[in-house]
Amino acid sequence: MKKLLAAAIAVPMALCLAGTATADPSIDNIIASGKLRCGVQLDYPPAGFRNEQNEPEGYDVAYCKDMAAALGVEAEIVETPSAERIPALQSNRIDVLIASTSITPARALSVAFSQPYVNYINVVLTRDDTNITSFDEMKGRAIGGVTGTTTEKDLKSAFDQWADPAGSYTGYGSEAESYLALSQGKIDGLIVGNAAAAALIQSGQFTNLKVAGDAPTPPDLAGIAVRKADQDLLQFVRTFVWSQVTSGRYAELYGLYFGAGEPPALAAPMVEY
Amino acid sequence: MKITLPYSGLQWSDLWFVLQGIGNTVLLTVIAATIGTIIGLALGWARGESKTARWAFAPIINVVRSVPLIIQLILASSFFAMAGGEASPLVAGCVVLSLYMGVLTSELVRAGLASVHITLRRAARSLGMSYWQELRHVSAPLALRAVFPGWVGTLIALTKDTALVGVLGYVELMRATQILINRTNEALLILTGAGLFYFLICYPISRYCRRLEKAMNHD
Amino acid sequence: MFGYTFYWSIVWQKLPELAAGAALTLQITVLSMILGTAFGAALAIGRQGRGLGLRLSTAWVELARNTPALFQIYMVYFGLGAFGIHLSSYVAMVAALTFNNAGYLAEVFRGGLSSVPKTQMSAARSLGMTVGQSYARVVFPQVFKTVFFPYVNQLNWALLNSSLGMIIGLRELTGATQAAQSESFRTFEFFLVAAAIYFLLSKIVEVSARLIFRRLFRT
């Protein structure tokens, strides 16, 4: 009886886990497998989104392809929703996380970051009919942001300082949802990367949205994350990020996905990464 | 320089994308239903026949029934990550949903076995049948007959719950729907289509199941 | 295999946020159950009748039971936008859960009503009770007893289903957990704690229901 029971549980588990293998993570493995697997968030335009063929595209996707080319391997894009980013990295389903991840000490406890590879400056995004023309005019209004992002923290601290009872704050699950909420009138304003806002408005999908000045937030510098143990890969990524800028490819990609204008410096004033 | 647009309208090729999502939903449902039913039969029988098994499996059954599936899925995925295994969203989803289906089915099987009268089982044994012969020819057929409508109901619940595996990045129908909504901003049309699919699968089965239950209660 | 170090201190720092999330979870659950009970009772009555009332209530019940809860939430949150109805994620969540609860509760109530033989009504009437008295003293107490545990079951489902709020950006327990883990990337620790909280809440519901039942129907 016991054996039968054990078999009844073990067999399906084995079936489920078939094809699962543990690999030694390192740059050699990437070369050996001929694939660079990048975790990308695909609800984060213009860094990650799906094009008309529903294939992954965006700044992060292009960045992954460039990195794969530099390694001489093929790029494989793995969609990693927010809660899956770290499990995917730890379980070796991806080699690098190129998902516009803001660099913070708390996160650096769990992953190893490269220096910044993209810089999000924030602007105020609002609808034509809200009369909001600057960051401070969002006081006492319905505003929103994407749950768990650094941008949200900045906006929320301002919101808490205003302490205006007429105001309200709503958190959304993805960028796309927050844009939709703004466009549909659920909220009146949010702060968002300037480039993303520009691309959004030019897309023609949200004709009633406009940019209303800069947000007084610190620069949102995002890095590429790898497993803490993968120091050799981290070194490579750092060199690669450096070469993307010096070769002019950074400016090119920036223009392609984030729109015209000067690409922002990949650094914060007064400090080196 | 040309800006690449993140937003684009709905087009015919998206139908193929949705069909792939449906395929993934069906794949996950079939795997989890098969494995889950096997687990459920074994677990239900073990829990029905042995006190030790009842006691030993109580914690896992409690957890599966009292923790939201979303959290079970995220935890399973993180757990495989910690254990160093490489678990795709399909594998994590398949493990969690199989277990879920198994636990629900085991409750039914246990109740089904309990519904077979003990005197009937004793009579069979006293006719010289072994434990297994009795189970195979007397208890199991009677119990499974009682279990069937409930099992179909569980199958419907499972089909609907596969929608949650999208949280792990598995592009089943609901996830495909969300991707298309984000891209095209055509929520109502896309959602209606997706809802119709689930309804057309679940509704006829649940009606059939209800009629069956009625018929069984009458004889 | 398990080279994973737990960083619990990060979780303890965020415990107030998780507690606030749990409070919101309870609020949504209770609100959607109260509203769901009212609508569910109306639907159960509607399904006894005929004509438009019957058709509408049947459509509601079948839609609620045969499509994923996630679909219902998306429909309320995104789909209604096409009609110019824009709900906050909180309102959308309560509305969608109410829709879902009402559908299931309608069936629970119908089952309860049909469990009391019609002859009892005639018997009560022939004893000189009015229709109202017969319902209040004879029919409803029995209905209440059969309905009690399925009702508690639905309450538990509502609690677990409220976790879907995370997907539309609501900071109930799962949403709050998701937000907290994304600040530090300690996915496993945070969701493990959330699972424990859900488990606790669900057990509290279950145990207190059993105690209440024992007090009400001492046998």
Side-chain angles (χ1 to χ4, degrees), chain B residues 59-90:
Chain B
I60 192 161
I61 283 158
N62 265 313
V63 167
V64 167
R65 291 175 56 104
S66 312
V67 173
L69 267 176
I70 282 199
I71 292 191
Q72 289 186 40
L73 286 164
I74 294 173
L75 277 180
S77 174
S78 307
F79 179 79
F80 285 126
M82 277 170 45
E86 189 186 326
S88 70
L90 174 62

Side-chain angles (χ1 to χ4, degrees), chain A residues 225-239:
Chain A
V226 301
R227 281 174 289 268
K228 281 190 284 186
D230 290 357
Q231 287 302 315
D232 58 339
L233 183 56
L234 180 64
Q235 275 312 314
F236 174 83
V237 172
R238 289 182 59 91
T239 309

Side-chain angles (χ1 to χ4, degrees), chain A residues 247-272:
Chain A
S247 69
R249 178 67 174 158
Y250 164 61
E252 195 183 329
L253 281 183
Y254 191 88
L256 189 61
Y257 290 105
F258 291 86
E262 193 70 14
L266 294 177
M270 296 173 72
V271 69
E272 272 185 35

Side-chain angles (χ1 to χ4, degrees), chain B residues 21-217:
Chain B
I22 290 180
N24 283 339
T25 292
V26 172
L27 176 71
L28 185 61
T29 309
V30 168
I31 295 179
T34 311
I35 301 175
T37 305
I38 296 170
I39 294 178
L41 287 172
L43 194 60
W45 161 75
R47 289 173 69 206
E49 297 292 68
S50 131
K51 247 195 186 139
T52 324
R54 224 174 350 246
W55 182 81
F57 288 116
I60 192 161
I61 283 158
N62 265 313
V63 167
V64 167
R65 291 175 56 104
S66 312
V67 173
L69 267 176
I70 282 199
I71 292 191
Q72 289 186 40
L73 286 164
I74 294 173
L75 277 180
S77 174
S78 307
F79 179 79
F80 285 126
M82 277 170 45
E86 189 186 326
S88 70
L90 174 62
V91 172
C94 147
V95 168
V96 168
L97 289 178
S98 300
L99 205 59
Y100 179 72
M101 177 82 187
V103 163
L104 295 188
T105 309
S106 82
E107 301 272 273
L108 299 168
V109 170
R110 191 166 73 136
L113 277 177
S115 74
V116 180
H117 220 279
I118 189 76
T119 48
L120 192 64
R121 302 189 67 174
R122 288 208 184 116
R125 293 299 296 274
S126 68
L127 283 176
M129 287 192 189
S130 73
Y131 174 84
W132 296 110
Q133 282 175 324
E134 184 276 321
L135 190 69
R136 168 150 172 18
H137 296 290
V138 182
S139 295
L142 283 170
L144 292 184
R145 192 161 163 260
V147 159
F148 188 73
W151 178 80
V152 175
T154 312
L155 199 60
I156 292 174
L158 177 76
T159 310
K160 293 185 290 174
D161 286 332
T162 55
L164 300 179
V165 185
V167 175
L168 301 183
Y170 182 67
V171 186
E172 42 64 63
L173 178 56
M174 239 17 238
R175 178 84 193 172
T177 305
Q178 198 206 356
I179 289 169
L180 289 181
I181 291 175
N182 280 351
R183 207 198 72 204
T184 64
N185 216 346
E186 297 251 21
L188 190 66
L189 177 68
I190 301 168
L191 276 173
T192 307
L196 209 61
F197 169 79
Y198 285 106
F199 190 79
L200 288 181
I201 289 208
C202 297
Y203 179 64
I205 302 177
S206 73
R207 275 203 67 156
Y208 164 73
C209 178
R210 232 172 293 164
R211 202 171 307 159
L212 203 69
E213 233 167 334
K214 237 180 224 168
M216 281 172 70
N217 286 340

